[in-house]
């Protein structure tokens, strides 16, 4: 944009909204200035050019657009590099000979197709989040697709069909605003803290890779920041005692399977599910000075659609619900490829892992592996990374299509385990979210979900460490192998690494995965806060009274509370014991402990599956061919095995069908409570029929619910903030 005198406005702050929340005022910005992009047109020659002044550089580049074909031209001579923006425009003849078509604050891409070239500019951005070290993550608030006419067509025009040309005309209508974010100074395509350079991203989460290719061709990769699709939020907060810290949430959507809700479902040819999102929750303290170390913690999880081949058929001409369709006979091709991609991405750094073990900062799982308590590892350590899928599909006959999809998902997981070999740590937990909400309402549903997660989350642990100045000299010790580079000024000293992954899935990866993953992240939040030395909960009456007194000065709500549920407290204590007492092999709990049934499933006939009855602890067998179940182990596939009798015969033992139904219910809902215990005891004694026992179980559950009346409070303003940040994903 021009001023009234016709000169160039050197500093355009209108396009950069001011930060709404400065989370780390003690850090200087990692960028020296704000990025400015000018699209110019020469009034005489009608040629176009880009004048770029990046935040990461102290000079200005001139990139010319060839009017014959649209190729970008740039070289490192004095004719393309200038001290500032005004010098570059003056070299072209000033504003008297050049027209400023548009000014932007980021160049998001460039493409030359046919007789048109497209320049994608972010015309307004706003700070969405900040990271330690002053790295600013910006959200694209407004953007424009600018068309540049070419005298001769580009290289792709001769191979384009009329339909493709029509789509090119529609390309500029694609909206980037308020759904994409980027960072010019740090790698945001990987979990925090990534030691990879900014120009070497994980392309799975970069949505403008094709649009940025022309800039990479002329050796200017940094001139087009990598665009992520999703959510980026951070908030500066205070704990119970007034200590300042920052909570950040990032959600990156994979670009390997793009598409609308009813189109992008299940796997594609790249082995990627539709609407696949990587979520990350980061907590760090605010240091008193630049010399003080900063403590941080990070937790990563995934959400997406069911990772097998499937799709939907729309009813009534696209109005109403869609019917799930699973192709046959190979709906599992690509499932193994997907899970291996997850394991390779989230496997802990072996150098850091070895250094942590040497210094004694190892997890309970690592301690068990060293003592021979786990299956032998192969040369590929990524095969040992546990992946747990929380399946939120409906698992009842009211939605037979989702039930069919859920069963196919389980079969796909068994198929993958057979391919990966014995001991593959892949687990699926059924949790019928809609069914649980309907039967138990919201509070009991959350309690049941937390019961399932209380053993899973401690096993995966989380990543934590400190950030310190890279300028500080340190003695070369074995513990220095725990350090990685964050940027030129900072380094990260790791104290723990996340060594497991939880993945939430439903049919479309929208409301159910959003709600369930939120409550799962809440479980980890208290432990993240403890790792960095802050307290977001009151652990005794004295702390609670002091916290309420501190909060009363800021809030007028007399009912404000920071209490947490007993289940949440158990999860926190279990994660704490995992981090501080490696010798602890397991924690006694009523929750579902990960017990792979590879031994029980070995040598079973085709179509048979071994499952564990959560109520009695007994193994039963399902024949998917005849849709029947039995306590008796069938003969092996080779015919040499013998049937195994039931371990606890009784005059009127519960039927395997009832055990299967109880197993499905336990997967859908919570682990068996008092009602399930009563039911199994009565069935095992032969006192009542299965239907009468079910009525007794229901009544016992109602009485237990009425007596407990567990209230899940929100842990104060931090939980309200966390809820808003997750809700923004919708």
């Amino acid at each position: 944009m021009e001023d009234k005198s016709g000169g160039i406005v050197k500093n355009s702050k209108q396009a950069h909204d001011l930060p709404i929340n400065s989370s780390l005022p003690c850090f200087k910005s990692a960028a020296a200035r704000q990025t400015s992009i000018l699209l110019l047109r020469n009034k005489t020659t009608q040629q176009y050019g880009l004048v770029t002044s990046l935040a990461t550089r102290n000079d200005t580049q001139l990139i010319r657009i060839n009017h014959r074909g649209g190729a970008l031209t740039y070289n490192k001579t004095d004719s393309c590099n200038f001290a500032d923006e005004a010098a570059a425009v003056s070299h072209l003849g000033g504003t008297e000979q050049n027209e400023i078509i548009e000014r932007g604050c980021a160049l998001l891409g460039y493409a030359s197709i046919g007789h048109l070239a497209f320049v994608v500019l972010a015309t307004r951005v706003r700070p969405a989040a900040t990271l330690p070290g002053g790295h600013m993550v910006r959200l694209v608030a407004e953007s424009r697709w600018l068309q540049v006419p070419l005298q001769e067509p580009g290289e792709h025009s001769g191979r384009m069909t009329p339909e493709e040309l029509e789509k090119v005309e529609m390309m500029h209508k694609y909206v980037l605003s308020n759904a994409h974010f980027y960072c010019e100074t740090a790698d945001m395509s990987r979990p925090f803290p990534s030691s990879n350079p900014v120009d070497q991203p994980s392309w799975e989460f970069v949505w403008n890779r094709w649009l940025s290719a022309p800039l990479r061709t002329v050796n200017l990769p940094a001139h087009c920041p990598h665009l992520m699709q999703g959510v980026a939020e951070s908030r500066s907060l205070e704990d119970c005692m007034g200590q300042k810290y920052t909570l950040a949430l990032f959600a990156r959507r994979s670009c390997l399977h793009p598409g609308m809700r009813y189109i992008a479902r299940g796997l594609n040819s790249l082995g990627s599910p539709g609407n696949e999102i990587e979520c990350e929750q980061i907590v760090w303290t605010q240091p008193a000075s630049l010399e003080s170390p900063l403590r941080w913690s990070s937790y990563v999880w995934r959400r997406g659609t069911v990772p097998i081949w499937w799709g939907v058929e729309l009813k009534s001409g696209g109005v109403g619900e869609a019917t799930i369709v699973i192709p046959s006979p190979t709906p599992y091709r690509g499932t193994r490829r997907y899970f291996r991609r997850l394991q390779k991405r989230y496997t802990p750094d072996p150098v850091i892992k070895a250094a942590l073990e040497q210094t004694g900062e190892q997890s309970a799982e690592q301690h068990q592996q060293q003592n021979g308590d786990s299956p032998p590892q192969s040369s590929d350590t990524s095969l040992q990374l546990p992946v747990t899928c929380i399946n939120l599909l409906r698992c009842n006959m009211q939605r037979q299509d989702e039930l069919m999809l859920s069963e196919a998902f389980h079969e796909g997981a068994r198929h993958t385990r057979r391919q990966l070999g014995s001991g593959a740590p892949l687990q699926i937990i059924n949790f019928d979210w809609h069914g649980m909400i309907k039967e138990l309402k919201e509070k009991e549903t959350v309690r049941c979900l937390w019961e399932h997660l209380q053993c899973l989350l401690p096993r995966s642990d989380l990543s934590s460490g400190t950030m310190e100045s890279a300028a500080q000299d340190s003695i070369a010790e074995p513990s220095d192998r725990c350090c990685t580079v964050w940027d030129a000024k900072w380094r990260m000293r790791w104290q723990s690494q996340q060594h497991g992954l939880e993945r939430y899935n439903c049919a479309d990866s929208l409301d159910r995965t959003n709600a369930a993953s939120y409550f799962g992240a809440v479980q980890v939040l208290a432990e993240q806060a403890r790792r960095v030395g802050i307290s977001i909960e009151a652990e005794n009456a004295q702390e609670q009274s002091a916290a309420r007194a501190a909060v009363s000065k800021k809030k007028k709500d007399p009912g404000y509370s920071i209490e947490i549920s007993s289940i949440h407290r158990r999860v926190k204590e279990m994660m704490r014991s995992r981090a501080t007492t490696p010798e602890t092999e397991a924690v006694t709990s009523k929750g579902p402990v990960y017990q792979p049934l590879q031994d029980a499933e070995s040598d079973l006939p085709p179509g048979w599956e071994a499952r564990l009855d959560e109520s009695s602890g007994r193994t039963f067998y399902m024949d998917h061919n005849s849709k029947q179940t039995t306590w008796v182990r069938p003969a092996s596939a080779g015919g040499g095995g013998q049937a195994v009798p039931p371990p606890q015969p009784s005059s009127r033992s519960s039927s395997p069908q009832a055990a299967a139904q109880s197993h499905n219910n336990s997967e859908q809902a919570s682990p068996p409570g008092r009602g399930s215990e009563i039911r199994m005891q009565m069935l095992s004694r032969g006192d009542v029929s299965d239907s009468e026992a079910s009525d007794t179980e229901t009544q016992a559950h109602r009485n237990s619910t009425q007596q407990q009346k567990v209230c899940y409070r929100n842990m104060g303003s931090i939980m309200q903030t966390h809820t808003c940040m997750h809700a923004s994903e919708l």
Side-chain angles (χ1 to χ4, degrees):
M1 299 191 300
E2 303 178 56
D3 60 13
K4 294 181 180 180
S5 62
I8 299 298
V9 180
K10 296 183 180 179
N11 297 319
S12 177
K13 295 185 179 180
Q14 293 84 354
H16 297 79
D17 292 347
L18 294 178
I20 55 177
N21 198 330
S22 181
S23 59
L24 289 176
C26 63
F27 288 112
K28 295 182 180 179
S29 175
R33 59 181 180 178
Q34 295 178 344
T35 296
S36 176
I37 309 293
L38 287 180
L39 176 61
L40 302 177
R41 179 179 62 189
N42 188 283
K43 297 178 182 180
T44 304
T45 63
Q46 297 299 311
Q47 293 189 0
Y48 289 77
L50 291 167
V51 178
T52 61
S53 303
L54 300 188
T56 55
R57 301 179 60 151
N58 55 10
D59 57 353
T60 297
Q61 288 72 47
L62 172 61
I63 307 173
R64 292 181 171 87
I65 301 176
N66 191 333
H67 63 282
R68 296 182 177 180
L72 298 180
T73 58
Y74 167 81
N75 54 66
K76 297 183 179 181
T77 62
D78 295 337
S79 61
C80 293
N81 293 273
F82 305 90
D84 53 27
E85 184 179 277
V89 176
S90 177
H91 174 79
L92 296 175
T95 56
E96 293 80 8
Q97 299 183 18
N98 295 274
E99 177 187 0
I100 299 179
I101 303 300
E102 185 61 82
R103 175 187 289 275
C105 41
L107 176 60
L108 303 181
Y110 174 84
S112 172
I113 305 176
H115 288 79
L116 290 175
F118 294 89
V119 178
V120 188
L121 290 182
T123 55
R124 188 169 67 87
V125 299
R126 68 171 182 85
T130 54
L131 290 174
H135 299 279
M136 180 67 69
V137 181
R138 289 183 166 88
L139 177 72
V140 178
E142 294 179 2
S143 61
R144 289 192 62 187
W145 291 70
L146 302 169
Q147 297 184 13
V148 176
L150 303 176
Q151 295 181 7
E152 295 181 4
E155 56 179 349
H156 302 290
S157 59
R159 298 190 297 268
M160 296 181 63
T161 64
E163 292 78 10
E164 291 174 335
L165 290 174
E166 182 180 355
K167 292 181 179 179
V168 169
E169 294 293 334
M170 299 175 57
M171 186 172 61
H172 68 278
K173 298 181 181 179
Y174 181 78
V175 179
L176 298 172
S177 305
N178 298 316
H180 298 78
F181 61 91
Y182 66 91
C183 181
E184 298 174 284
T185 56
D187 177 25
M188 288 297 301
S189 63
R190 296 180 178 87
F192 175 86
S194 172
S195 58
N196 291 73
V198 182
D199 58 351
Q200 298 178 13
S202 173
W203 293 111
E204 178 184 356
F205 297 96
V206 178
W207 283 75
N208 62 339
R209 180 179 185 179
W210 176 69
L211 290 172
S212 62
L215 280 304
R216 295 196 299 273
T217 302
V218 294
N219 297 319
L220 295 175
H223 283 61
C224 186
H226 301 126
L227 209 58
M228 315 290 162
Q229 186 181 104
V231 174
E233 296 280 348
S234 69
R235 294 288 186 271
S236 292
L237 304 165
E238 293 185 3
D239 69 351
C240 300
M241 310 310 295
Q243 183 177 353
K244 295 181 179 180
Y245 68 100
T246 301
L247 170 66
L249 176 67
F250 297 98
R252 296 174 281 263
R253 186 183 182 190
S254 172
C255 64
L256 298 183
H257 194 172
M260 301 180 64
R261 174 181 179 183
Y262 288 114
I263 298 177
R265 298 283 188 101
L267 293 177
N268 61 2
S269 59
L270 297 177
S272 179
N275 204 15
E276 181 75 6
I277 301 174
E278 178 185 74
C279 303
E280 184 176 16
Q281 182 174 269
I282 312 174
V283 178
W284 68 88
T285 58
Q286 179 172 317
S289 63
L290 293 177
E291 291 74 21
S292 304
L294 174 149
R295 303 179 65 180
W296 60 269
S297 62
S298 172
Y299 172 67
V300 179
W301 70 96
R302 284 266 193 150
R303 46 180 289 191
T305 58
V306 177
I308 64 173
W309 282 84
W310 64 283
V312 296
E313 290 182 354
L314 300 180
K315 299 179 179 179
S316 305
V319 179
E321 293 186 354
T323 302
I324 295 175
V325 178
I326 302 176
S328 59
T330 57
Y332 315 124
R333 65 183 189 278
T335 302
R336 175 186 178 276
R337 180 182 179 184
Y338 168 72
F339 283 110
R340 288 296 294 132
R341 184 187 298 126
L342 293 184
Q343 288 182 317
K344 292 178 181 179
R345 179 175 177 86
Y346 301 110
T347 297
D349 188 312
V351 177
I352 299 177
K353 178 181 177 181
L356 292 176
E357 292 174 356
Q358 184 174 354
T359 57
E361 297 175 346
Q362 58 179 352
S363 66
E365 182 180 9
Q366 295 167 340
H367 178 79
Q368 294 172 9
Q369 292 176 358
Q370 287 183 354
N371 289 274
D373 298 330
S374 62
Q377 297 185 10
S378 64
S379 57
D380 189 352
T381 58
S382 66
L383 288 169
Q384 301 302 321
L385 183 85
V387 178
T388 303
C389 298
I390 293 88
N391 178 30
L392 305 173
L393 291 171
R394 294 182 177 92
C395 298
N396 54 68
M397 297 305 295
Q398 295 179 356
R399 282 297 303 270
Q400 297 186 22
D401 55 346
E402 286 201 7
L403 177 60
M404 175 184 62
L405 180 60
S406 181
E407 288 296 326
F409 185 22
H410 279 272
E411 180 60 33
R414 290 189 290 270
H415 179 74
T416 301
R417 283 196 292 265
R418 288 192 293 267
Q419 291 181 320
L420 296 179
S422 176
L426 173 60
Q427 180 186 16
I428 300 178
I429 295 179
N430 285 347
F431 193 88
D432 186 348
W433 182 266
H434 285 328
M436 295 288 290
I437 291 290
K438 182 178 179 181
E439 296 293 332
L440 302 178
K441 306 305 178 184
E442 291 81 359
K443 292 181 180 180
E444 280 296 303
T445 299
V446 173
R447 184 188 68 82
C448 293
L449 177 65
W450 282 5
E451 286 281 3
H452 276 83
L453 297 178
Q454 63 177 320
C455 291
L456 300 177
L457 299 179
R459 187 188 71 213
S460 299
D461 203 9
L462 53 86
S463 300
S464 63
T466 59
M467 186 182 82
E468 56 191 34
S469 174
Q472 296 178 359
D473 296 332
S474 59
I475 303 176
E477 298 178 354
S479 61
D480 287 344
R481 292 182 299 169
C482 298
C483 293
T484 57
V485 177
W486 173 229
D487 58 25
K489 299 179 180 179
W490 307 98
R491 63 182 177 184
M492 298 293 185
R493 186 178 298 276
W494 294 72
Q495 296 175 348
S496 64
Q497 286 183 294
Q498 183 173 337
H499 46 265
L501 180 71
E502 284 74 45
R503 183 186 189 272
Y504 300 83
N505 72 263
C506 64
D508 47 20
S509 184
L510 292 176
D511 56 342
R512 283 178 281 186
T513 55
N514 188 62
S517 62
Y518 159 71
F519 288 110
V522 167
Q523 291 281 20
V524 190
L525 183 59
E527 175 62 15
Q528 285 187 265
R530 191 194 69 83
R531 295 278 181 97
V532 301
I534 61 176
S535 177
I536 62 173
E537 57 179 336
E539 300 198 7
N540 52 55
Q542 182 178 1
E543 290 185 4
Q544 184 174 355
S545 177
R548 283 176 174 170
V551 170
S552 63
K553 299 179 181 179
K554 302 178 180 180
K555 280 187 168 287
K556 298 181 180 180
D557 183 10
Y560 175 79
S561 174
I562 55 175
E563 296 178 2
I564 60 174
S565 71
S566 58
I567 298 176
H568 181 87
R569 194 178 300 278
R570 290 206 307 270
V571 174
K572 178 201 65 176
E573 293 173 351
M574 292 168 63
M575 295 193 72
R576 184 176 303 180
S577 65
R578 290 277 185 172
T580 56
T581 57
E583 294 77 11
T584 304
E585 293 187 3
V587 181
T588 303
S589 171
K590 294 183 179 180
V593 181
Y594 174 51
Q595 296 178 348
L597 297 176
Q598 282 82 4
D599 296 337
E601 289 184 348
S602 60
D603 297 330
L604 288 177
W608 283 81
E609 175 193 358
R611 287 191 177 182
L612 183 67
D613 178 22
E614 299 284 358
S615 301
S616 62
R618 299 168 56 186
T619 301
F620 66 93
Y621 302 90
M622 299 183 64
D623 184 2
H624 293 282
N625 303 311
S626 61
K627 307 298 182 182
Q628 295 181 355
T629 58
T630 178
W631 293 113
V632 181
R633 178 187 177 89
S636 63
Q642 298 181 354
V644 180
Q648 296 179 354
S650 61
S651 59
R652 292 184 63 185
S653 61
S654 61
S655 65
Q657 290 82 1
Q661 182 64 30
S662 175
H663 175 81
N664 290 335
N665 291 338
S666 67
E667 286 184 330
Q668 301 166 20
S670 64
R674 181 59 180 163
S676 297
E677 295 175 1
I678 295 175
R679 176 173 181 266
M680 294 305 300
Q681 292 174 4
M682 297 175 70
L683 286 172
S684 62
R685 294 196 306 265
D687 298 338
V688 296
S689 64
D690 185 75
S691 59
E692 293 172 337
S694 299
D695 296 338
T696 304
E697 176 188 9
T698 303
Q699 185 62 36
H701 181 272
R702 291 176 180 174
N703 294 338
S704 175
T705 304
Q706 183 67 21
Q707 293 173 1
Q708 294 179 10
K709 293 184 178 180
V710 180
C711 178
Y712 301 96
R713 297 189 172 99
N714 60 8
M715 293 204 308
S717 60
I718 172 62
M719 298 309 304
Q720 297 172 4
T721 300
H722 200 267
T723 303
C724 296
M725 292 165 63
H726 275 271
S728 62
E729 294 186 45
L730 296 176

